[in-house]
């Protein structure tokens, strides 16, 4: 259950970060509402996940999911760079996340 909560927290973190781009310094109502709700939801789900998962593992996976998700969405939505070095770096983060999951013993 902890890993499912952590996955949901990571997805909420991605929504939070992307919504920051759209809320224009909290001057737009609905994007700001999405930012607040997704940010609070992400922290809450992370808090629930760390009840059963090691803190360091959970935090690293949570931030890694956010970084990878936002980087990939940025490539498609905002036309950010997709050069080989950037993609390789994203892949290394994914390898780290998978490694943390595989080394976790329940």
């Amino acid at each position: 259950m902890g890993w499912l909560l952590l996955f949901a927290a990571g997805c909420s973190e991605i929504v939070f970060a992307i919504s920051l781009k759209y809320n224009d310094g909290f001057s737009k109502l609905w994007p700001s509402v999405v930012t607040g709700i997704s940010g609070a939801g992400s922290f809450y789900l992370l808090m629930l996940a760390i009840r059963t998962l090691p803190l360091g593992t959970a935090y690293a996976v949570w931030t890694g999911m956010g970084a990878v998700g936002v980087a990939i969405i940025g490539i498609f939505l905002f036309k950010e760079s997709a050069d080989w070095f950037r993609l390789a770096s994203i892949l290394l983060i994914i390898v780290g996340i998978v490694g943390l999951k595989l080394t976790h013993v329940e």
Side-chain angles (χ1 to χ4, degrees):
M1 186 64 165
W3 285 103
L4 185 59
L5 290 167
L6 186 58
F7 178 77
C11 291
S12 293
E13 178 69 11
I14 293 166
V15 172
F16 167 75
I18 295 298
S19 68
L20 288 171
K21 180 82 169 172
Y22 290 104
N23 74 27
D24 198 26
F26 292 102
S27 65
K28 295 180 181 174
L29 177 63
W30 293 113
S32 297
V33 169
V34 170
T35 300
I37 291 171
S38 60
S42 180
F43 281 112
Y44 179 71
L45 291 166
L46 176 63
M47 179 192 69
L48 294 177
I50 63 173
R51 289 180 176 173
T52 58
L53 299 175
L55 175 61
T57 298
Y59 186 75
V61 170
W62 178 68
T63 57
M65 278 186 66
V68 167
V70 172
I72 291 171
I73 290 171
I75 289 169
F76 291 102
L77 229 64
F78 307 120
K79 308 295 185 234
E80 294 176 359
S81 171
D83 64 53
W84 72 269
F85 191 73
R86 182 182 176 103
L87 295 176
S89 298
I90 291 169
L91 182 61
L92 287 172
I93 296 170
I94 294 169
V95 168
I97 291 169
V98 171
L100 287 170
K101 169 63 174 126
L102 291 176
T103 60
H104 178 260
V105 179
E106 292 190 48

